[in-house]
Amino acid sequence: MSTFRYGANVQANGVRLHYLLYGQARAGRDPVIILPGITSPAITWGFVGERFGRQFETYVLDIRGRGLSQSGPMLDYSLDAQAADLAALAAALKLPRYTVVGHSMGARIAVRAARSGLPGLAGLVLVDPPVSGPGRRAYPAKLDWYVDSIRLAVAGCNAEKMRAFCPTWTEDQLRLRAEWLHTCDERAVRESFDGFHNDDIHSDLGRINVPVRLIAAGRGDVIRDEDIAEIQRLLPSASATRVVDAGHMIPWDDEAGFYAAFEEFLGARLDAAISKEKQHVGQ
């Protein structure tokens, strides 16, 4: 049975933000807000929302300039604006406590937002965040990869044409990306990509005062072992693990390994839900 409840819009930080809601509130378990990456509308994380929804009330956000959230030529797409969106969203949803799970760009947004002490924030999960920044090595992906695929989607394309950009993805994954990628504003993506290299999130880490879980991909070279060591030096509260068989899009490459990497951080094991599902299927 699906855990999807509904999609909705809120006014937060002066913009319209759209989110998808999965699961029901459960006593003793904090709600989860999922912040996707640079070209991932909320709907593309729907399969993750479904699984999280079995354990937690889960909100998957369309970052401004993506999906059904507001975009436009005058909109501010800076990291600071996106971080303010997160704070305003949590306030608009009236969440007394919550945990944020951010992937890639979403993880950087979470770090920037948390440095100011988000009211109600109980913990952060940073999933393969780009560690690029001023004076640091560049993010391994190239801007043209994003821009060319967006323009292809804007013109209209099928899953097979999208396969040139994501050769390891399944047909369903490619079809969904081909359907929704056109909703990612090109300027939003360009400015976020520039922010990967111009915004210094490392200086934010020492100001975070909640537990942090770092989940790194085993492949893709976004986070090296020395990067993990630096993050833990700057943020001693951070625990870390790798999903060895996955690239940067971890749940796409190794969904079970992604859930298992959370361990008990959220207060309930996500991989326990996988085990039960497999038992049910086998009956």
Side-chain angles (χ1 to χ4, degrees):
M1 179 180 296
S2 174
T3 65
F4 176 68
R5 288 169 59 189
Y6 56 81
N9 297 281
V10 296
Q11 271 285 323
N13 193 31
V15 297
R16 185 193 71 253
L17 295 177
H18 175 261
Y19 63 87
L20 302 175
L21 176 58
Y22 299 82
Q24 302 288 337
R26 295 194 181 194
R29 296 186 185 177
D30 296 325
V32 174
I33 299 174
I34 295 178
L35 303 180
I38 188 168
T39 55
S40 295
I43 189 65
T44 64
W45 278 73
F47 70 104
V48 177
E50 287 280 6
R51 181 59 56 78
F52 268 70
R54 298 175 193 171
Q55 307 281 64
F56 311 96
E57 183 178 63
T58 303
Y59 300 82
V60 186
L61 180 65
D62 272 327
I63 307 298
R64 61 166 64 196
R66 285 89 176 167
L68 299 182
S69 285
Q70 188 171 338
S71 63
M74 304 304 294
L75 208 61
D76 181 357
Y77 292 121
S78 68
L79 181 62
D80 287 338
Q82 293 167 338
D85 286 350
L86 172 59
L89 174 72
L93 297 175
K94 296 181 170 57
L95 300 179
R97 281 176 56 91
Y98 57 93
T99 296
V100 174
V101 176
H103 173 247
S104 192
M105 178 190 75
R108 290 172 66 92
I109 293 170
V111 168
R112 178 56 54 90
R115 74 173 185 178
S116 300
L118 283 173
L121 182 66
L124 290 179
V125 181
L126 308 178
V127 182
D128 222 40
V131 293
S132 46
R136 296 178 177 274
R137 75 176 186 276
Y139 182 56
K142 302 301 182 184
L143 178 60
D144 286 350
W145 185 89
Y146 297 106
V147 172
D148 290 348
S149 60
I150 289 171
R151 291 179 178 177
L152 183 68
V154 167
C157 73
N158 57 21
E160 190 57 38
K161 288 185 177 180
M162 192 57 65
R163 191 181 303 279
F165 294 89
C166 309
T168 65
W169 288 22
T170 67
E171 186 74 12
D172 286 344
Q173 291 167 348
L174 291 167
R175 188 178 297 116
L176 194 62
R177 187 166 178 84
E179 178 186 3
W180 281 89
L181 187 59
H182 75 91
T183 68
C184 294
D185 183 277
E186 183 178 319
R187 186 171 68 86
V189 172
R190 286 180 177 275
E191 293 192 11
S192 292
F193 188 88
D194 288 345
F196 287 174
H197 303 92
N198 298 328
D199 295 315
D200 179 14
I201 63 165
H202 289 78
S203 63
D204 299 336
L205 292 172
R207 298 166 61 180
I208 295 175
N209 57 9
V210 298
V212 174
R213 179 72 165 168
L214 174 64
I215 298 176
R219 298 182 277 107
D221 201 36
V222 173
I223 297 182
R224 300 173 182 173
D225 289 345
E226 57 265 33
D227 300 319
I228 294 176
E230 181 181 15
I231 290 171
Q232 291 184 307
R233 185 169 64 252
L234 294 169
L235 186 58
S237 67
S239 61
T241 189
R242 281 194 184 277
V243 182
V244 176
D245 293 329
H248 183 58
M249 302 298 284
I250 298 176
W252 277 256
D253 292 341
D254 184 359
E255 188 179 356
F258 174 66
Y259 300 133
F262 286 80
E263 297 181 342
E264 297 284 353
F265 187 84
L266 299 176
R269 295 184 70 94
L270 287 158
D271 53 334
I274 296 175
S275 177
K276 290 178 182 178
E277 180 182 73
K278 288 179 178 178
Q279 290 172 7
H280 176 73
V281 170
Q283 291 174 346

